[in-house]
Amino acid sequence: MARFSILLPYLRPHRRSLSIAFGLMLCEALVELSYPLFMLQLIDRGVLTHDQRQVLLWGSSMVILALFSFACGITSTFYAADGGQSFARDLRAALFSRLAFAPLAAFQRLSTASLLTRLTSDTNQLQNAVFMCVRLYLRAPLIILGAVVLALAVDSTLAAVLALATPLIGFALSWTLGRGLRLFRLAQEQLDRLTSLLRENFNGMQLIRAYGRGEHEQLRFIGAAEALRRRATQAMQLSEMVVPALILLLNLCTLAILWGGSRRIMNHGISPGEVVAILNYTARIIGEFAFLSMILTNLSMARSALGRVSEVLDGETEAGLEEPPQRQPCAAPAVTSTHLGFAYPGQGQQVLRNVSFAVQPGHTAVILGATGSGKTSLLQLLARLHDTDEGQLCFDGQDIQGVPLATLRQRIGYVTQAPMLVSGSIADNLRWGKRDATLAELAEAAKKAQIHELILSLPDGYDTVLQAHGGNLSGGQKQRLCVARALLRQPDLLLLDDCTSALDAHTEAALLNVINGLPCTTLLVTQKISAARRADTVLLLEGGQLTAQGTHAELLEKSTVYRQIVESQSRNAGVALSA
């Protein structure tokens, strides 16, 4: 129940629809419970006495009740569907919002496949549980309890067998629920693994074909699917095995009632109508218990889904994201660090250790280093996608952790290593940098990023719709669009993570000339010495440590590693030219 309370904020706005659905369901259940009593009167007063008037009276009453019950059921379904779907919409929005504003470390603790499952199938499971709860889940125990009570009211001796059997059946179902919850949770975890494998294969289909790994991946998929089958089968077998046992037990109760009822009818101790009424209640209990087993199976799945959804809703969010009313004019900041240290959550080894450097306002700093040296991590710390563990990182003379996140990120333009484009037009993607940008501003940013002419050559220009992940663009085109998006922001601090790797030498040179002339502080991660030559300062990272800082000329003199990088790239360029 404590975990269920986390859903209350998303249920309260729709309590009117859900309450109406629940109230109409109660009316429907009460009509159903009254049916055997009407049947008792029909048999004893009409059929046995051959009184047509009584038959018509009680028969027509049952028809009217049936129509009323039908109307209640249909209307209840409409309101329950509206409340359930509205609840699911709000819950999905809350989950997405929680993930969108979660710290990057918290976001990365869960796999993409698991997150997708929580926002889709888990939410659907909870929506179905809300709908079924007000429509059917509460109806079954109500009818079972009501049937037992009314059967005892008709004849306590004959209905005693129902009163004894019902608690035993309830205990068996509750035990099934407890066991089923664990098994369904394991099955859901296996589904996450299968979904993750599918996503991995779909994204890497070209590589799978190029390396002839189709058969190997097929075997991996079959193995994961078989593991899911085993888990799901165990859960379903447990939940379904109880149904035949319940039906057998209740059928034995029916036989006992028939046997005892027939003896008492012959002794004139009970009327045939009363026996029929108790049998009718027994039949309803059998049906509801069979249905209740399915309900408990669904509830087991819903409880598992609730635990997974709660894990997201209970997660932390970044503080200081309240958007300022308006961006204030600022100047290019100085960026400095003192004995900076950082390790990703859950990893003991630091990716940055004792890093100290200074970049003056308006200067361009190039960050060089081998793969895994901490270049991308340093940019992520500057964007506060992570927080430092040791030392101090300062933005414009202030500890970066003291700058409100919204203010900080409003002043930053960030281009990630892997170009990220969303579905929509080119203009839509560029306006991520500035939501209200005019077409002239889009064109100006695109010109600086050396992509304007290409955009104009497209049939719809800036209204050209991009395929998923920019699939109708080359790698270099995607990189330039991402740079244009960052430049449209007119940032005070520009962070570029290896965003020129797919550009030809001429385009890269033109882009770097533009970047060097911008009135902002720029940190550029790259592997190219051509960019380092143009920079005001070069930061050389090795194994997470800053081993050298200075201009290109200064590092040529004092850094053996930097000189080796320059000689290596010059030698390769010479080979390329001679070839």
Side-chain angles (χ1 to χ4, degrees), residues 171-186:
F171 174 78
L173 285 175
S174 63
W175 178 83
T176 303
L177 176 62
R179 289 272 298 167
L181 175 63
R182 186 179 67 85
L183 292 174
F184 278 116
R185 184 173 61 248
L186 293 174

Side-chain angles (χ1 to χ4, degrees), residues 255-528:
L255 290 175
I257 291 169
L258 280 172
W259 179 78
S262 62
R263 287 173 58 87
R264 292 183 61 196
I265 287 173
M266 288 186 290
N267 295 330
H268 303 287
I270 194 171
S271 71
E274 291 173 330
V275 175
V276 171
I278 294 174
L279 287 172
N280 202 288
Y281 280 127
T282 305
R284 292 177 189 279
I285 291 172
I286 292 174
E288 294 302 330
F289 263 124
F291 183 64
L292 195 59
S293 66
M294 183 189 74
I295 289 175
L296 293 179
T297 297
N298 290 334
L299 280 177
S300 295
M301 298 169 69
R303 282 185 60 186
S304 177
L306 177 59
R308 293 155 54 79
V309 166
S310 298
E311 191 176 353
V312 177
L313 292 176
D314 287 336
E316 57 183 315
T317 56
E318 290 181 311
L321 283 174
E322 300 78 11
E323 189 170 344
Q326 189 175 1
R327 178 176 172 181
Q328 301 298 320
C330 299
V335 176
T336 60
S337 77
T338 306
H339 305 301
L340 183 66
F342 171 69
Y344 287 103
Q347 298 182 10
Q349 185 175 2
Q350 288 187 316
V351 294
L352 291 171
R353 300 187 303 279
N354 197 31
V355 174
S356 300
F357 66 86
V359 180
Q360 298 304 312
H363 282 200
T364 296
V366 162
I367 306 173
L368 286 174
T371 301
S373 59
K375 305 184 298 296
T376 295
S377 301
L378 182 56
L379 294 194
Q380 290 181 347
L381 290 176
L382 282 166
R384 275 201 66 191
L385 300 178
H386 298 283
D387 286 329
T388 59
D389 297 329
E390 298 174 1
Q392 191 176 44
L393 184 60
C394 291
F395 178 89
D396 215 5
Q398 181 180 0
D399 190 321
I400 200 167
Q401 296 191 39
V403 181
L405 270 178
T407 302
L408 175 70
R409 289 176 182 169
Q410 206 176 51
R411 297 181 62 185
I412 289 177
Y414 186 27
V415 182
T416 57
Q417 191 171 24
M420 202 283 280
L421 298 171
V422 298
S423 56
S425 67
I426 289 176
D428 292 336
N429 275 271
L430 291 177
R431 286 194 174 103
W432 272 46
K434 185 180 180 183
R435 281 176 287 186
D436 57 350
T438 63
L439 187 58
E441 289 175 314
L442 297 182
E444 180 64 23
K447 287 176 184 176
K448 291 178 181 178
Q450 313 301 308
I451 192 72
H452 176 66
E453 297 299 329
L454 172 73
I455 295 174
L456 292 183
S457 69
L458 298 173
D460 297 318
Y462 282 85
D463 292 324
T464 300
V465 176
L466 299 181
Q467 296 176 4
H469 308 296
N472 48 343
L473 300 177
S474 70
Q477 291 165 353
K478 287 189 282 189
Q479 283 185 335
R480 282 179 283 163
L481 270 183
C482 292
V483 172
R485 180 171 61 199
L487 297 182
L488 182 64
R489 202 172 184 84
Q490 296 182 342
D492 297 322
L493 176 62
L494 184 60
L495 306 177
L496 305 174
D497 192 354
D498 204 12
C499 63
T500 64
S501 58
L503 303 185
D504 61 78
H506 175 74
T507 304
E508 180 189 32
L511 177 59
L512 291 177
N513 281 335
V514 170
I515 290 173
N516 287 335
L518 293 174
C520 65
T521 304
T522 303
L523 275 77
L524 168 64
V525 168
T526 184
Q527 297 290 349
K528 299 180 179 180

Side-chain angles (χ1 to χ4, degrees), residues 105-138:
F107 181 84
Q108 291 174 338
R109 274 199 293 267
L110 300 172
S111 68
T112 301
S114 180
L115 292 175
L116 289 173
T117 301
R118 291 166 201 241
L119 265 75
T120 53
S121 64
D122 284 347
T123 305
N124 288 341
Q125 198 67 246
L126 291 173
Q127 176 268 319
N128 185 58
V130 169
F131 171 80
M132 298 291 281
C133 191
V134 297
R135 186 68 194 95
L136 295 171
Y137 287 177
L138 298 176

